[in-house]
Amino acid sequence: MNPLCGRCNLVVYPTEKVNCLDKYWHKRCFSCEVCKMTLNMKNYKGFEKRPYCNAHYPKTQFTAVADTPENLRLKQQSMMQSQVRYKEDFEKSKGKGYSVVADTPEFQRMKKTQEQISNIRYHEDFEKKKGGGEIPHHQPSNPGQAAYQPPAASQNYHCEPTPEPVRQEVAAPPPSAGKRYRAVYDYSAADEDEVSFVDGDVIVDVQQIDEGWMYGCVERTGQRGMLPANYVEAI
């Protein structure tokens, strides 16, 4: 059974049939929708399954749909969903603090380093106080207390057991405490808590922090801070 023409709706026989745009046409009917110029398979342009010439092919025009009620409703709904998601994310993250940062290896290293430095400074202050005695520490009080302190010797005697446990706890410094090291490479500090040195510098009061880092004082500059363990060697 022969198909019908897409324009004149008459039977199209095989000798005059043009199959294009999902339809069958007579060769004379396959023409531009506007100027009726006869077209062929090389010069036609299809739009909504209708043939057009190049001059009358419909131009695509962009219409402003942002002000339509439906588009405004969708825009408002998207903004509300964004706010809801933001609040949900905020509620989920609230109370966690800086857990995301604390889980990073760099932050863990910095945190551990700060703790080690705090412990080292505490040990140094304690040793200074222990060597200088406790009396100068209490002298900012009234002069009348100077006469009162000798009778209070018994009280100090009873208070002495209190720092003893502290001395026992801090009496176990890191294995490398007090050691001297010599720099075998030049190193420039990358952070504020690190020290710079050159090849041959002597590092004193060195204490091991972890496998890769130490804490010590550069004898030449007097600068204290962290240094990489693989840049120095024991003397």
Side-chain angles (χ1 to χ4, degrees):
M1 181 177 179
N2 294 322
L4 300 179
C5 178
R7 186 178 298 279
C8 65
N9 205 26
L10 298 178
V11 176
V12 180
Y13 295 100
T15 56
E16 55 180 357
K17 180 172 62 174
V18 177
N19 184 5
C20 186
L21 299 175
D22 296 334
K23 297 180 180 180
Y24 294 95
W25 314 78
H26 293 106
K27 291 182 180 181
R28 64 179 181 276
C29 293
F30 190 64
S31 60
C32 177
E33 289 287 320
V34 179
C35 64
K36 306 303 180 184
M37 181 183 74
T38 302
L39 303 172
N40 56 44
M41 300 299 292
K42 294 182 179 181
N43 62 0
Y44 86 96
K45 288 189 174 182
F47 182 79
E48 295 183 354
K49 296 187 178 181
R50 307 299 296 180
Y52 292 88
C53 65
N54 187 46
H56 296 100
Y57 180 74
K59 304 297 182 182
T60 304
Q61 297 180 356
F62 297 96
T63 58
V65 296
D67 295 334
T68 61
E70 179 64 19
N71 198 49
L72 289 175
R73 185 185 68 82
L74 292 175
K75 182 179 179 181
Q76 185 178 6
Q77 183 177 358
S78 297
M79 293 177 62
M80 293 178 62
Q81 290 178 352
S82 299
Q83 293 177 358
V84 171
R85 290 180 180 176
Y86 172 78
K87 291 181 180 179
E88 290 178 354
D89 295 340
F90 177 77
E91 292 296 331
K92 291 179 180 179
S93 61
K94 184 171 65 176
K96 293 184 178 179
Y98 297 92
S99 59
V100 177
V101 180
D103 292 337
T104 61
E106 181 64 20
F107 188 83
Q108 290 287 356
R109 185 185 71 82
M110 293 298 298
K111 182 178 179 182
K112 184 176 180 181
T113 301
Q114 292 295 335
E115 292 177 354
Q116 293 287 344
I117 294 174
S118 299
N119 292 333
I120 292 171
R121 290 178 179 174
Y122 173 77
H123 301 338
E124 292 176 353
D125 294 341
F126 178 78
E127 292 297 330
K128 290 179 180 179
K129 292 178 181 179
K130 185 177 66 174
E134 297 295 336
I135 295 177
H137 179 72
H138 297 286
Q139 284 182 353
S141 57
N142 294 330
Q145 291 183 355
Y148 177 76
Q149 285 180 358
S154 60
Q155 296 180 359
N156 292 333
Y157 175 79
H158 294 292
C159 295
E160 286 180 355
T162 302
E164 287 301 327
V166 178
R167 293 179 56 187
Q168 292 178 1
E169 292 179 359
V170 301
S176 57
K179 288 187 177 181
R180 296 168 58 88
Y181 282 76
R182 179 183 291 108
V184 294
Y185 304 103
D186 295 348
Y187 181 75
S188 298
D191 293 324
E192 295 180 357
D193 58 348
E194 297 180 3
V195 294
S196 301
F197 50 83
V198 297
D199 184 10
D201 277 351
V202 176
I203 317 296
V204 298
D205 297 334
V206 178
Q207 301 195 32
Q208 190 78 30
I209 296 177
D210 53 29
E211 295 182 358
W213 291 90
M214 297 179 174
Y215 182 88
C217 175
V218 181
E219 192 174 48
R220 178 175 57 86
T221 62
Q223 185 180 10
R224 291 180 176 272
M226 294 173 50
L227 59 143
N230 57 347
Y231 276 65
V232 297
E233 63 180 2
I235 300 177

